[in-house]
Amino acid sequence: MLTPRHQALLMTLAGMTVGVAVFGGVLAFNGNPLAGDDTPAAVNSQPTPSTSVRGDGLQPDSLQYTLQTFGTAKDPVAAEVPTGWKSSQDGTRPRFSDPTGVWQIRFDTRGSKKSPDQLVDERFRSIDERDLKLISRDNGTLVYTYTDKARGPRMGLSRWVSADSGETSAVEITVGGRPQDEAALRAILQHATDSLQLPPSAGDTRPN
C-alpha cells in the first residue's frame, strides 16, 4: 500500500511526463530552431532587405568606356562614353543613353562665341523644372537637381569646354541621371572631358 507521500511523488512524475510530451508536440509543429530545421520558428519575422534595392546608384568603378566620333565630316569630334550607351543620331548634337534610359550624356559641338562662365549663367536661368536647386556653378560647369514629372528626382551636369583659354566655348557636354548617381555622373563627365578630341581650328564659324 502506497503512503500519501509516495502517491504525491507518483503524481508529480506523471505531470512531468505529460509536460514533456506536450512540449515535444509543440516543437514538432513549429520546428526547433536549435536543431537546424529549415522551417522558421516565428512566422511573423521580417525578411532581410535585398541589396538590389538599396538605392546606392550607379557606381564609377562599374563603368567601361568606348570612343565615339560625331560632329561633322569637316569638323569631327570624338570622346569616350560608357560602353553600351547608344545614340539615335550622329551629327553635332548626339545623345548617348544606357539601355534603360536612366542615364545619358549629350554633346553639342556647334560651339559659341560666349565664354563657358557666361553659358553656365544663361543655362541655369533658362531651366524651367520643378524643385530646381543649384549645387555648384564654377569652372564652366553647372551642377543642379530638379524633379521630373515622369521620372522623379534628377541631376544634371553641364560643362562647356573652351579651346582658347576660356574666351569662347567649343563643346558642351551634359550628363544626366539621378541624385544618387552623382559620383558616377561626375566620373562620366570628367572622362568625356579628358578624352575629348577637337578638330584643328579652321576659322571662327561658331554662332554667338
Side-chain angles (χ1 to χ4, degrees):
M1 181 175 179
L2 297 176
T3 65
R5 181 179 179 183
H6 289 162
Q7 290 177 352
L9 179 58
L10 289 175
M11 291 179 65
T12 300
L13 292 174
M16 292 176 63
T17 302
V18 172
V20 170
V22 172
F23 182 70
V26 171
L27 288 179
F29 180 76
N30 287 334
N32 184 359
L34 300 180
D37 196 318
D38 292 336
T39 304
V43 297
N44 61 347
S45 61
Q46 297 297 320
T48 302
S50 170
T51 56
S52 64
V53 294
R54 289 183 302 162
D56 291 343
L58 186 64
Q59 299 301 313
D61 58 5
S62 70
L63 298 168
Q64 296 181 331
Y65 295 89
T66 301
L67 186 67
Q68 300 284 353
T69 302
F70 39 90
T72 65
K74 181 180 178 181
D75 294 312
V77 176
E80 292 188 358
V81 306
T83 300
W85 291 22
K86 304 295 182 182
S87 177
S88 59
Q89 64 182 33
D90 296 320
T92 59
R93 302 183 69 189
R95 179 194 300 268
F96 298 88
S97 302
D98 79 289
T100 68
V102 175
W103 308 292
Q104 306 90 31
I105 180 169
R106 177 176 59 82
F107 298 87
D108 188 340
T109 66
R110 296 174 300 173
S112 172
K113 292 181 179 179
K114 296 180 180 179
S115 70
D117 288 338
Q118 288 177 311
L119 293 174
V120 164
D121 293 338
E122 289 185 5
R123 174 61 57 81
F124 186 70
R125 289 196 301 266
S126 69
I127 299 174
D128 183 18
E129 298 286 357
R130 292 189 302 162
D131 305 321
L132 178 63
K133 180 181 179 180
L134 174 66
I135 303 300
S136 62
R137 51 193 293 177
D138 58 315
N139 298 321
T141 303
L142 173 67
V143 182
Y144 56 94
T145 60
Y146 63 97
T147 301
D148 182 83
K149 184 176 181 181
R151 297 183 291 177
R154 301 288 293 174
M155 169 172 274
L157 300 87
S158 295
R159 173 174 293 167
W160 285 265
V161 180
S162 176
D164 54 7
S165 302
E167 295 296 323
T168 62
S169 301
V171 176
E172 175 197 339
I173 308 172
T174 294
V175 179
R178 305 166 302 179
Q180 63 264 39
D181 305 319
E182 181 175 356
L185 297 178
R186 289 183 180 274
I188 293 168
L189 178 61
Q190 189 60 49
H191 196 93
T193 304
D194 293 342
S195 62
L196 188 65
Q197 301 175 21
L198 299 176
S201 176
D204 189 359
T205 61
R206 290 167 289 190
N208 48 355

